[in-house]
Amino acid sequence: MQVPAPLEYTRAATVADAIALLERLGDGARIIAGGHSLLPMMKLRLATPEYLVDINDLHPELGYVRRTPTEVRIGAMTRHRELLESDVLAEHLPIFRDAERVIADPPVRNRGTLGGALCQADPSEDLSSVCTTLNARCVIRGPSGERVVTMEEFYRGPYETAVGPAEMLTEVRVPLRPCGSNAYAKVDRRAGDWAVAAAGAALWLDPDGLILDARVGLAAVGPSTTGIPAISAALRGRPPSEQAFEEAGAIAAATCAPTSDGRGSEAYKRHLAGELTRRTLRSAYERLRGQDRDRGAR
């Protein structure tokens, strides 16, 4: 029977309380929210914390989706179900709904959180790819105050983030830019499973209908969730077209770093990276065209 190592358990009442507990308990303390990633690792003794700090009582403080004129702010305790059902995200960042529809199952979506997903830093994690695609920034709070880091700075390698021992992720900030849309797609072995490969894409057009900017974030095809600057450089200033999206897919397939495993071969994962990049760029563009038609109808 798989049983975690002995540990002590406590609950935090506020963010300040959680940080104080982490500071007092030291390196042996781990935060638990949904627990769907941490608990299986504890059962296998891949993670052996001495203390668990339960932050579920922080949901009223950190469970929210708020739109400002320049960005969408999402609290780290916002649950998958809330991301799926958010009208703000559906309108401005539909990539979240795309991803949440293919994450796990209802019990996981009811308890799992955005912060827990990002802090697990699993290379196959869906929301990590989404946030990389959207150029999100992460707010980390600790005893000395807050700091804000980019997604590139947040991830330091597989299962490793910029969050220090006495710190916690409190918020994710996603910039809002005009004339843009986004999409997400993944291939898995069965519904709700970890991805064999996944891609998110975001596209913005200038007043002439040319690509102002594009971003692609891949998951499950390298040691960490991967953004691809070469795709952005290749697409800027070009008209959105199947040829452009094909080229972006070829760049994705060539620059990712998958390994063969039980989910698929390296060659198969490269193929998926290219195909999913093309599909998500195409979907983002189709959504942009739909926005234009809606504005014209009004």
Side-chain angles (χ1 to χ4, degrees):
M1 184 172 65
Q2 296 174 344
V3 179
L7 56 86
E8 295 189 30
Y9 169 91
T10 186
R11 295 180 74 94
T14 65
V15 171
D17 183 32
I19 292 170
L21 285 168
L22 293 171
E23 188 175 25
R24 178 169 62 83
L25 297 174
D27 293 348
R30 289 284 300 271
I31 284 175
I32 186 168
H36 296 289
S37 297
L38 179 58
L39 289 176
M41 294 180 70
M42 290 171 57
K43 288 181 178 180
L44 294 171
R45 304 294 177 99
L46 297 174
T48 55
E50 299 175 33
Y51 306 93
L52 282 184
V53 178
D54 190 329
I55 60 170
N56 276 282
D57 291 343
L58 275 57
H59 183 266
E61 188 176 356
L62 295 181
Y64 56 82
V65 178
R66 298 170 184 160
R67 182 186 181 278
T68 76
T70 59
E71 61 188 5
V72 172
R73 298 186 173 190
I74 309 172
M77 281 295 296
T78 306
R79 303 197 188 276
H80 291 293
R81 177 184 56 79
E82 294 169 323
L83 296 173
L84 176 65
E85 296 173 355
S86 168
D87 292 334
V88 171
L89 293 179
E91 178 180 358
H92 298 284
L93 302 168
I95 188 174
F96 273 99
R97 184 163 289 182
D98 291 344
E100 289 295 349
R101 283 172 171 159
V102 294
I103 289 177
D105 52 28
V108 171
R109 291 197 293 268
N110 282 335
R111 296 294 296 172
T113 64
L114 172 63
L118 297 187
C119 289
Q120 179 68 8
D122 191 303
S124 301
E125 210 287 310
D126 297 278
L127 292 185
S128 299
S129 175
V130 168
C131 291
T132 297
T133 300
L134 297 174
N135 198 26
R137 297 178 300 151
C138 299
V139 181
I140 299 171
R141 192 183 305 180
S144 58
E146 283 188 352
R147 57 194 177 96
V148 182
V149 301
T150 65
M151 289 300 297
E152 288 76 14
E153 295 166 329
F154 184 78
Y155 285 121
R156 296 183 173 176
Y159 308 103
E160 183 180 4
T161 72
V163 180
E167 294 181 324
M168 61 183 295
L169 175 67
T170 58
E171 185 178 74
V172 173
R173 298 175 180 174
V174 182
L176 290 177
R177 301 168 59 182
C179 300
S181 194
N182 36 75
Y184 185 80
K186 81 174 181 180
V187 171
D188 48 18
R189 294 179 300 174
R190 56 184 179 271
D193 196 3
W194 291 106
V196 177
L203 198 64
W204 296 268
L205 303 184
D206 67 16
D208 297 322
L210 301 179
I211 297 173
L212 179 65
D213 198 7
R215 288 181 60 89
V216 169
L218 300 178
V221 289
S224 61
T225 305
T226 307
I228 309 176
I231 290 179
S232 305
L235 294 187
R236 288 191 190 105
R238 297 176 59 177
S241 66
E242 285 301 314
Q243 181 180 352
F245 300 155
E246 287 280 343
E247 183 176 329
I251 293 172
T255 57
C256 66
T259 58
S260 298
D261 57 22
R263 290 189 170 89
S265 68
E266 175 188 347
Y268 177 52
K269 292 180 181 181
R270 285 189 187 277
H271 167 75
L272 290 179
E275 180 60 31
L276 293 175
T277 294
R278 288 190 288 271
R279 291 185 187 183
T280 50
L281 283 168
R282 186 187 305 127
S283 295
Y285 177 53
E286 289 172 352
R287 283 173 172 166
L288 273 170
R289 294 178 63 188
Q291 292 174 15
D292 290 340
R293 286 194 294 269
D294 290 344
R295 283 193 289 267
R298 290 196 294 267

